[in-house]
Amino acid sequence: MNSANSAAVVVGVDGSEPALRAVRLAATEAARRQRPLRVVHGFIWPLLHVPASPAPDAPPGGGLRQRAEELVRAAVAEAEATVPGLSISGEIIDGEAAAVLVGESPTAALIVLGDRGLGGFSALVVGSVAVQVAAYADCPVLVARGAQRPDEPVLVAVDGSPASGLAADFAADTAVSRGVPLVAVHAYRHPGSSGPGDMQPLVYDEAKLHAEQERMLAEWVTGLTEDHRELRLTCRAVRGRPGAVLAEASRSAQLAVVGGQGRGEVTGLLLGSVSQSMLHHAQCPVAVVHAPR
């Protein structure tokens, strides 16, 4: 595979099982994109002034850096077993994991990581590293979580915002490359229903409101089939809270794609509430796509 000079798919590893799942996903994604795979481990101990080399009387192979080298080798071997012949490299970089991966992002095609790593609290649905990288990376971020369903469609959240337009383009490219349909979902709520409990207006025409939302969704995605002639596209306008609607839809998807910030999000936020909700509750891998910064 002649891809040595192209931007790599980068996967962050820490020796945990979620990280190994991310490695397998990253290797598959790198092969699809005809990109090399770069395995990276953020080695935090020098920042904490902890000795990384083994003590003089320690047995051979001891020491924190040696352990880091072993986990990177194991991750590279896992990737090689997943996609034989893939161009793969591994590197240990001094620094905190999220900062290291964000630092890789300007020259990466894609960052892939697990939803939780070593030391993560079992009660957390998604780890802080995944949230930080998804918020600050300069390239799309793919978080390995949920079930693998290779025969199911790609799902994308659409709300008419520039961020969701970028997400829709990414999702369409992905669906075509994987040979599966794309399902574009727009979650809407009744006008004025923004408080606790979503109290509905006393008078409204449900059918008219739904038809209007479907029309808007069709307008938002009209360019996708023009730019992607092979795309099989289904549009669904669903009444409900966006996070809940998309999480439910992810149960029958192989990948969920969201924009970093959507319509109605607070200006200045690097990761919108819908994106965060999907990172925590999606039932399949999640890709977060940002506008260039």
Side-chain angles (χ1 to χ4, degrees), residues 44-150:
I44 194 172
W45 301 110
L47 274 66
L48 303 179
H49 306 292
V50 175
S53 299
D57 57 348
L64 295 171
R65 189 167 292 276
Q66 283 83 351
R67 290 173 58 188
E69 291 171 351
E70 289 173 3
L71 73 87
V72 169
R73 282 195 296 270
V76 169
E78 187 76 17
E80 290 173 339
T82 302
V83 182
L86 183 66
S87 174
I88 307 170
S89 62
E91 185 176 359
I92 298 170
I93 301 176
D94 290 354
E96 188 272 331
V100 166
L101 292 172
V102 171
E104 291 283 311
S105 67
T107 57
L110 180 72
I111 299 284
V112 185
L113 69 166
D115 58 347
R116 279 197 303 269
L118 290 175
F121 293 98
S122 59
L124 293 179
V125 183
V126 68
S128 62
V129 172
V131 173
Q132 291 177 58
V133 176
Y136 289 98
D138 289 320
C139 68
V141 175
L142 177 58
V143 178
R145 59 171 293 111
Q148 302 296 314
R149 307 182 189 94

Side-chain angles (χ1 to χ4, degrees), residues 28-41:
T28 303
E29 193 64 30
R32 287 194 184 108
R33 294 165 173 259
Q34 296 188 318
R35 304 274 186 171
L37 178 64
R38 178 168 158 79
V39 177
V40 172
H41 172 66

Side-chain angles (χ1 to χ4, degrees), residues 221-282:
V221 300
T222 187
L224 290 180
T225 51
E226 295 174 2
D227 296 337
H228 305 82
R229 298 291 183 178
E230 301 174 19
L231 181 65
R232 292 173 285 160
L233 176 63
T234 299
C235 296
R236 293 172 49 199
V238 182
R239 181 168 66 87
R241 291 179 177 271
V245 168
L246 293 165
E248 179 61 29
S250 72
R251 293 179 180 275
S252 55
Q254 65 167 273
L255 172 70
V257 184
V258 293
Q261 184 186 73
R263 187 180 298 277
E265 307 281 11
V266 178
T267 302
L269 289 178
L270 291 172
L271 191 63
S273 60
V274 175
S275 303
Q276 291 206 44
S277 177
M278 288 298 284
L279 288 176
H280 284 81
H281 302 297

